[in-house]
Amino acid sequence: MNNSPTSSQDYAFFDLAQQRNVIFYHMGYFSHSIVAAMAEIVKLQLEVSGVDSSRRRKLFSSFIELSQNIIHYSSDSLDPAVEGPAVRQGAVCISADGERHLMLCANPIATRDAQRLRDKLEPLATMSLDEIKQAYKVSLRAETPEGSKGAGLGFLTMARDASAPLEFAFHPRADDPDTTLFCLKATI
């Protein structure tokens, strides 16, 4: 085999994925049909990895929520003329960290939406599990929040299933001030 710089980089990527115990990783475009196909792979990978059924359910649920957020809210669309769910760009990673699993998601958003997301996520960090469950029940009965493309339950679902507060960050893009990279991490 040729030991070109590219093959060294490929090996480094593979080696890093093994060191980080990556179970599943996808960076690219997401659509409902792509997520359906990935969901089958995620189910199989979690089962083959020996993850117990309760944790598999939580991980799978969070995977779907993260993927739906990319489909609905990523600002990078394959066809910007299409309104609503389309083919949008982002990344999702599931890795094992000892007895825990990490769910990571990143996608570009409109910078003007960052504060709205922060306002939804910050309160979750200080809520108890009982408070999260109560907020979930209230949201089930409430009207769909303005600007939401779902029932507004995604972050509550992930916070309920997580073993630690959700972590998030916003990274404004220097080359495009109207775009910010939104990163979310759930520990399950």
Side-chain angles (χ1 to χ4, degrees):
M1 179 166 187
N2 180 343
N3 278 338
S4 71
T6 303
S7 65
S8 295
Q9 291 171 348
D10 293 343
Y11 174 76
F13 177 79
F14 180 78
D15 190 47
L16 181 61
Q18 282 190 313
Q19 288 174 26
R20 298 264 176 111
N21 297 311
V22 172
I23 295 170
F24 179 83
Y25 177 76
H26 174 74
M27 179 179 173
Y29 286 101
F30 286 66
S31 70
H32 291 294
S33 58
I34 292 170
V35 170
M38 288 190 300
E40 292 303 314
I41 295 166
V42 167
K43 275 189 214 179
L44 183 60
Q45 274 301 111
L46 293 174
E47 193 172 318
V48 168
S49 297
V51 177
D52 69 80
S53 62
S54 173
R55 185 167 299 180
R56 270 197 323 258
R57 182 198 57 78
K58 291 175 181 180
L59 288 165
F60 186 75
S61 173
S62 291
F63 167 77
I64 295 298
E65 292 297 341
L66 293 171
S67 298
Q68 290 294 326
N69 281 338
I70 292 170
I71 291 170
H72 291 299
Y73 301 111
S74 174
S75 62
D76 186 351
S77 177
L78 191 58
D79 184 358
V82 174
E83 285 294 319
V87 180
R88 298 182 189 267
Q89 188 169 20
V92 171
C93 181
I94 304 171
S95 65
D97 182 25
E99 293 298 312
R100 308 172 312 159
H101 288 80
L102 306 178
M103 302 283 305
L104 304 163
C105 174
N107 62 277
I109 61 167
T111 299
R112 68 180 177 277
D113 294 335
Q115 189 59 48
R116 180 181 55 80
L117 283 171
R118 184 182 308 280
D119 291 345
K120 285 184 176 186
L121 288 162
E122 280 181 344
L124 293 176
T126 59
M127 293 170 77
S128 69
L129 182 57
D130 287 337
E131 290 170 324
I132 291 168
K133 288 179 179 180
Q134 183 60 35
Y136 184 88
K137 289 177 186 175
V138 168
S139 291
L140 277 175
R141 292 184 213 109
E143 295 287 323
T144 299
E146 188 174 326
S148 178
K149 303 209 173 52
L153 299 172
F155 293 144
L156 286 167
T157 299
M158 286 186 286
R160 180 194 65 199
D161 289 347
S163 60
L166 298 178
E167 298 176 42
F168 62 95
F170 298 95
H171 303 281
R173 289 194 37 191
D175 63 331
D176 181 2
D178 293 332
T179 303
T180 295
L181 184 67
F182 170 55
C183 301
L184 181 63
K185 176 181 170 183
T187 302
I188 297 176

